[in-house]
Amino acid sequence: LTGPPPSNSKLATPEGPVHDAIRQRLEQGPTFWLDIVAELDHPPEELHSAIWDLAFGGEATNDSFAPLRAPRLRAVPRGESRGRRFSRRRASAGPTVQGRWSLTAPLFRNAPAVGPRLRAQAELMLERHGILTREMALAEGVPGGFSTLYPELSNLEVLGSARRGYFIEGLGGAQFALAGAVERLRSQSVDDEELTILASTDPANPYGATLKWPKQESGRRPSRTPGSFVLMRAGAPLLFLEKGGKGILRLVPGIEGVELSGLLGAFVAAAENGKIPPLRIERFDGEPLIGSDFEPLLLAAGFSRQPRKMVVPA
């Protein structure tokens, strides 16, 4: 019901000799990661990146949730790819590749008709967002946009599974919601002091999708890029961590001093707990960090200084 990915998906088809080698091996049948490493004559770190390219592209899947639950999708260090076959296999194992890998194509050979698939997609979108608007459907790349799901959403309204109304001001009149989501929204109390770190692509982050990012004075702008994170308080974005943990942007002007150091401390704690990748900050608000006025604030927050960057190891 949920696949395969649409033909107009924004994800490009992974190409390259390593990707092709993995495809050819998986066409022979499902296999474990250690066997892929042993049978294919490519470095483990390249195989690791390629198998995840295929997974994110919808071509490969795994029979275990362990890879998705791993703290981070980390490539095998290059130094571990050398040595005898047994040591190469052992060094290449890790939680991001556990389980048995296979191609997804056999799963979709007898895919249901378009109608049931659209119904399932409408239900999943409602479950994911609670309140579904046109902007949310566009942000998720639904083929055909909101109008494709509208008939099935209307059917869900007739069945009593969804409500139609004007729940969020400024997002258009065509909005559908689960009854429970509307009641939770009305009764929710906001803790102004609670900090939340979300992946920028998380459906719980409305910025860059249903809402515009705050305007930035610097040339760099936040975006819903995989691998980037946003620090929020009471639903308002405060700091943006760029992909790769190499840059931080302030999303609200005037955050500085002790307040800024405290917010940066939330990123430090998340990195130390493995909730976000290690931090290697080189830029702050688009400018070099080392030697800037922000360097002491990062030190106070728990960063360590290196010649060209401030770091927080995992």
Side-chain angles (χ1 to χ4, degrees):
L1 288 171
T2 59
S7 58
N8 64 341
S9 173
K10 297 179 181 178
L11 297 173
T13 301
E15 298 290 348
V18 183
H19 300 88
D20 292 338
I22 295 177
R23 287 189 184 99
Q24 293 174 6
R25 175 57 188 86
L26 295 182
E27 285 175 356
Q28 302 173 21
T31 186
F32 292 96
W33 168 253
L34 293 180
D35 295 323
I36 294 177
V37 174
E39 297 175 20
L40 301 183
D41 189 20
H42 295 280
E45 68 274 6
E46 294 184 9
L47 291 170
H48 184 284
S49 298
I51 195 72
W52 274 105
D53 287 343
L54 295 173
F56 283 122
E59 292 188 52
T61 187
N62 193 291
D63 64 359
S64 169
F65 280 106
L68 293 177
R69 290 171 175 160
R72 62 189 66 86
L73 305 182
R74 181 181 67 89
V76 179
R78 294 185 179 275
E80 296 181 1
S81 64
R82 301 179 177 89
R84 294 176 300 177
R85 171 173 289 192
F86 178 76
S87 62
R88 183 170 177 257
R89 285 164 55 100
R90 181 177 58 187
S92 304
T96 62
V97 288
Q98 288 179 4
R100 187 172 57 173
W101 293 91
S102 61
L103 294 178
T104 59
L107 300 174
F108 305 129
R109 285 174 182 163
N110 299 314
V114 175
R117 291 179 60 186
L118 287 176
R119 169 66 64 85
Q121 188 172 27
E123 292 176 342
L124 286 174
M125 292 281 285
L126 282 171
E127 290 286 348
R128 184 178 303 152
H129 295 279
I131 298 176
L132 184 60
T133 68
R134 184 181 305 276
E135 291 79 5
M136 294 173 184
L138 292 175
E140 294 220 9
V142 175
F146 189 72
S147 59
T148 303
L149 299 178
Y150 192 89
E152 291 301 331
L153 291 169
S154 297
N155 291 338
L156 291 174
E157 179 189 16
V158 173
L159 294 173
S161 301
R163 294 182 182 179
R164 185 191 329 222
Y166 188 57
F167 308 109
I168 304 175
E169 184 178 357
L171 294 184
Q175 301 179 21
F176 291 85
L178 298 175
V182 176
E183 299 305 321
R184 287 182 61 186
L185 187 64
R186 289 171 174 167
S187 62
Q188 186 175 8
S189 59
V190 178
D191 184 355
D192 292 339
E193 301 303 320
E194 183 178 359
L195 296 175
T196 303
I197 297 178
L198 293 175
S200 63
T201 55
D202 194 311
N205 169 38
Y207 296 93
T210 57
L211 301 177
K212 294 182 179 180
W213 291 103
K215 293 184 178 180
Q216 299 298 299
E217 297 180 359
S218 62
R220 304 184 71 87
R221 295 183 178 181
S223 62
R224 294 176 67 90
T225 305
S228 60
F229 296 85
V230 59
L231 175 67
M232 309 178 76
R233 179 169 59 199
L238 302 176
L239 297 178
F240 179 81
L241 178 64
E242 297 177 355
K243 178 182 179 181
K246 295 184 177 181
I248 292 178
L249 297 176
R250 288 182 296 176
L251 302 180
V252 177
I255 299 179
E256 53 190 19
V258 176
E259 180 184 9
L260 178 56
S261 182
L263 296 177
L264 293 169
F267 277 144
V268 172
E272 292 176 341
N273 294 332
K275 296 181 178 179
I276 63 175
L279 303 176
R280 304 178 180 90
I281 307 300
E282 300 176 1
R283 300 176 302 273
F284 201 97
D285 283 350
E287 300 294 333
L289 172 61
I290 300 301
S292 71
D293 294 337
F294 299 108
E295 183 179 342
L297 296 178
L298 270 72
L299 285 172
F303 284 79
S304 300
R305 191 183 190 282
Q306 291 187 358
R308 296 184 179 180
K309 54 192 173 185
M310 308 284 287
V311 301
V312 177

